[in-house]
Amino acid sequence: LPEVIAGFGLVLDLLFIQSIKLITGSLPAQYGFRTAGVVDIQTKSGALNPGGEVSLYGGSYDTFNPSFEYGGRDGKFNYFVDGSYNHNSIGIENPTGSSTPIHDYTEQWKTFLYGSYIIDDTSRTTTMASASYTQYEVPNTPGLPAGTDANGVTWASAMPALLPSGSFHSSALNERQKEQNYYGVVTYQKSAGDLDFQLSAFLRRSEVAFSPDVIGDLYFNGVASEVNRALDSAGLQADGSYHLGEKHTLRAGGSLLVTGVSSDSTTRAFNLDAAGDPTTLTNIVDNHPLYGLFAGAYLQDEWKLASRLTLNYGARFDVYSSSFDAENQISPRINLVYQPFEGTTMHAGYARYFTPPPVENVGGGTIAKFLHTSNQSATQQDDPVKAERANYYDVGISQILAPGLQVGVDGYYKTSQNQLDDGLFGQTLILSAFNYARGEVHGVEFTASYTTGGFSTYANIANSVAKGETWNSAQFLFAPSDIAYVKNHWIYLDHDQDISGSFGASYLFKESHQNCTRVYVDALYGTGLRQDATAPDGSNIPNGGTVPAYYTINPGVEQTFKLAHNQFLKVRLD
């Protein structure tokens, strides 16, 4: 799938997922551009999931969530469709410690379509399409003080015509964000003896619009920005594999993706006098089109060196060109999998990665337009965002200790040039990308799972360290003092978290062939993402601290009743 403009909502409707797995580690040459991991989703289809389901889910926070899904088969054609609506009053995480967020309603509509037609015994066409439309209120924090400039002068002092009372309550802010995502994919697949291949064409549109509370944002921040960002993508992808005897499987393919971004903003801000204090209001329009072209090709060989030893080696060549940067790279990859004993799998690999910046997250603004206004940047430097180049190493082992019991450990290490990162800056809730001149990421992950009869459980825990040094692009996003610190110090990346963990367990009670009960619990834990810290001398350390640790626990029970032939009623409490 082409990329989207990151927002708060789920781009994909989870109803269409039949199964899902995450592929991480040293990825083979067939995977390029976005290499943090591969989310491999098998969709539902009418052939495998005939019939339909209607559901109504609701509860706390005014949650009202009806949905449906239906699939079937007619000769050589099978299809699946689903749709859902979700309304609740906690669309975005509550920024306060209260149990009830203020101004946090959301409305969400999603649908997915799947169709497959079998042309003959060796070929078929597949079509997938999806649409999502979501609206969010941005939640408020009550009791915030009036905003001031660097001299301590309130913004409100310059806006008596807009605010006759001279005050504004932060609990009354009315900021909103709207997100839309649409995509379509058409694929032709063919199997001819030892040769398998497919060709896909795809389109996607992604749009995010942020609407400020003009008076409130001016009162607290001295600036109110309306931002509209839209991304249109189109491309082709071809992949093929050829079985060359019993020991070799050759794979090759290529992709082409063209993107266009319209990055438009209208900003209400104060003009500043010579002392830096607000005077009159000004309206600044800053519209910028951006484009990006991504092209890549790969060739790899899966070589069975022995019955228990497999080597996968290859390389890919990627070209990236945009309105602000143009780069390319040859990326070799090699992975070795060894199974010395029954139930034991060891792997080790190296990958050279080339990761262009997501065009939709690159700020297209003109810094000079905001000089001598309340929206001017403390730093006037804006070097273009560049592609990240990385060396990635991965080693791990998984072991079946007993029937149903499997454990594993995996370690990884990455060094990078032009390390990419992104964050939220200013009032708009749209990510902005930037680079560190150097980056280093390493960690270790432990996994365990056990299944027997109706009981299953899993546990995962991971330690990660991600650091960077010297911001070398989009410097206008940062304060000069922070830029000086990062130039001589390694700091943690914005999304670094020391320890992450997850746990889950379920048990299925079968009262009869018709009725059954499932009880389950899952939990998440994290030591906290990054925030700034204060050094002993009072200076700021970017990302030097963390927010408090957190955990989430979700228990539930589901009862299934058979009503008639192929008709079931499910009742669930979470």
Side-chain angles (χ1 to χ4, degrees):
L1 295 179
E3 291 180 295
V4 300
I5 301 174
F8 295 103
L10 294 175
V11 174
L12 302 176
D13 192 345
L14 304 183
L15 291 174
F16 77 85
I17 296 177
Q18 177 69 27
S19 64
I20 184 170
K21 61 181 178 180
L22 177 65
I23 304 170
T24 61
S26 174
L27 299 176
Q30 68 195 83
Y31 299 113
F33 297 121
R34 299 293 167 250
T35 49
V38 177
V39 181
D40 186 1
I41 300 174
Q42 179 179 337
T43 70
K44 295 177 181 177
S45 72
L48 300 176
N49 310 93
E53 181 175 304
V54 177
S55 173
L56 179 61
Y57 186 72
S60 301
Y61 299 103
D62 301 321
T63 298
F64 177 68
N65 180 202
S67 64
F68 77 92
E69 56 184 82
Y70 187 80
R73 182 170 65 178
D74 183 6
K76 295 182 177 182
F77 177 70
N78 82 83
Y79 58 91
F80 176 83
V81 59
D82 70 49
S84 67
Y85 166 76
N86 188 3
H87 165 93
N88 64 71
S89 63
I90 189 167
I92 301 174
E93 289 295 332
N94 188 358
T96 75
S98 69
S99 61
T100 304
I102 302 171
H103 189 264
D104 203 6
Y105 278 95
T106 182
E107 307 274 350
Q108 305 177 19
W109 295 264
K110 297 183 178 70
T111 187
F112 174 82
L113 301 169
Y114 169 88
S116 176
Y117 181 76
I118 299 174
I119 300 172
D120 53 41
D121 290 345
T122 64
S123 59
R124 71 169 181 170
T125 59
T126 300
T127 302
M128 292 183 289
S130 178
S132 67
Y133 181 92
T134 59
Q135 299 181 109
Y136 294 91
E137 295 179 331
V138 179
N140 298 331
T141 302
L144 296 178
T148 63
D149 64 18
N151 301 322
V153 177
T154 64
W155 305 115
S157 63
M159 49 188 291
L162 296 176
L163 200 68
S165 65
S167 63
F168 191 96
H169 298 289
S170 58
S171 59
L173 284 167
N174 186 26
E175 298 174 331
R176 297 171 181 268
Q177 184 152 305
K178 180 174 66 176
E179 303 171 10
Q180 303 179 67
N181 288 285
Y182 311 94
Y183 77 81
V185 182
V186 177
T187 299
Y188 172 75
Q189 295 171 295
K190 178 72 174 179
S191 179
D194 292 326
L195 176 65
D196 299 307
F197 69 90
Q198 70 174 31
L199 175 66
S200 297
F202 49 85
L203 295 169
R204 183 166 216 165
R205 179 171 178 83
S206 177
E207 184 176 347
V208 173
F210 175 82
S211 301
D213 183 311
V214 176
I215 295 177
D217 286 0
L218 287 170
Y219 180 87
F220 290 104
N221 306 308
V223 58
S225 296
E226 180 179 350
V227 178
N228 291 274
R229 193 172 294 181
L231 169 70
D232 292 293
S233 306
L236 297 170
Q237 180 172 317
D239 296 275
S241 66
Y242 184 75
H243 298 282
L244 195 63
E246 296 182 355
K247 292 185 176 294
H248 295 272
T249 300
L250 299 179
R251 292 184 174 89
S255 62
L256 174 67
L257 172 66
V258 179
T259 65
V261 178
S262 61
S263 180
D264 303 338
S265 68
T266 301
T267 301
R268 194 82 164 150
F270 292 103
N271 291 309
L272 302 181
D273 60 22
D277 294 327
T279 55
T280 57
L281 282 168
T282 183
N283 205 53
I284 302 171
V285 177
D286 194 21
N287 297 340
H288 285 272
L290 301 171
Y291 75 85
L293 184 147
F294 305 79
Y298 69 90
L299 176 65
Q300 68 188 50
D301 176 27
E302 182 180 303
W303 183 9
K304 289 190 174 296
L305 298 170
S307 60
R308 296 179 179 270
L309 183 63
T310 302
L311 177 68
N312 193 321
Y313 65 98
R316 62 179 297 119
F317 176 67
D318 295 309
V319 176
Y320 159 67
S321 177
S322 71
S323 46
F324 50 85
D325 187 32
E327 301 180 60
N328 61 76
Q329 179 176 288
I330 296 176
S331 304
R333 313 277 179 88
I334 184 168
N335 290 278
L336 190 67
V337 178
Y338 181 45
Q339 297 176 297
F341 315 105
E342 191 70 29
T344 302
T345 302
M346 305 168 65
H347 69 268
Y350 163 78
R352 177 71 171 164
Y353 288 154
F354 177 74
T355 307
V359 178
E360 64 276 10
N361 289 351
V362 174
T366 304
I367 301 174
K369 282 192 174 185
F370 300 97
L371 284 174
H372 311 300
T373 73
S374 53
N375 196 43
Q376 71 178 2
S377 301
T379 302
Q380 295 301 305
Q381 188 174 0
D382 183 18
D383 291 334
V385 183
K386 295 171 278 292
E388 177 186 306
R389 304 168 185 268
N391 295 302
Y392 188 93
Y393 308 87
D394 178 83
V395 61
I397 181 173
S398 64
Q399 178 68 52
I400 298 176
L401 299 178
L405 176 60
Q406 181 169 318
V407 297
V409 60
D410 189 87
Y412 58 91
Y413 178 73
K414 184 184 90 167
T415 60
S416 59
Q417 175 188 359
N418 297 324
Q419 170 72 50
L420 278 170
D421 200 3
D422 52 39
L424 298 174
F425 300 88
Q427 281 65 60
T428 59
L429 303 177
I430 301 174
L431 290 170
S432 295
F434 57 93
N435 297 101
Y436 292 83
R438 291 169 296 281
E440 183 176 304
V441 181
H442 58 85
V444 61
E445 302 172 349
F446 301 92
T447 64
S449 63
Y450 179 64
T451 302
T452 179
F455 176 75
S456 65
T457 185
Y458 68 88
N460 307 284
I461 188 167
N463 168 251
S464 176
V465 177
K467 292 184 175 182
E469 183 184 42
T470 307
W471 290 315
N472 62 347
S473 68
Q475 295 91 338
F476 72 95
L477 297 170
F478 308 101
S481 58
D482 290 346
I483 291 177
Y485 182 90
V486 176
K487 190 173 183 179
N488 300 303
H489 298 82
W490 287 81
I491 68 168
Y492 293 100
L493 302 189
D494 189 56
H495 298 95
D496 175 85
Q497 181 168 254
D498 289 340
I499 302 294
S500 307
S502 63
F503 165 80
S506 69
Y507 193 86
L508 180 65
F509 299 90
K510 288 188 175 181
E511 294 91 357
S512 65
H513 292 295
Q514 291 80 25
N515 302 331
C516 60
T517 305
R518 184 187 299 275
V519 294
Y520 47 87
V521 62
D522 63 67
L524 298 172
Y525 172 78
T527 52
L529 297 176
R530 290 288 157 183
Q531 65 178 358
D532 290 357
T534 303
D537 62 1
S539 61
N540 187 60
I541 302 177
N543 294 344
T546 65
V547 300
Y550 63 92
Y551 62 89
T552 302
I553 300 175
N554 301 308
V557 58
E558 180 180 83
Q559 178 70 44
T560 301
F561 305 93
K562 185 171 184 178
L563 302 181
H565 179 65
N566 289 334
Q567 294 183 0
F568 296 87
L569 172 67
K570 291 183 179 181
V571 181
R572 189 169 101 233
L573 174 67
D574 291 323

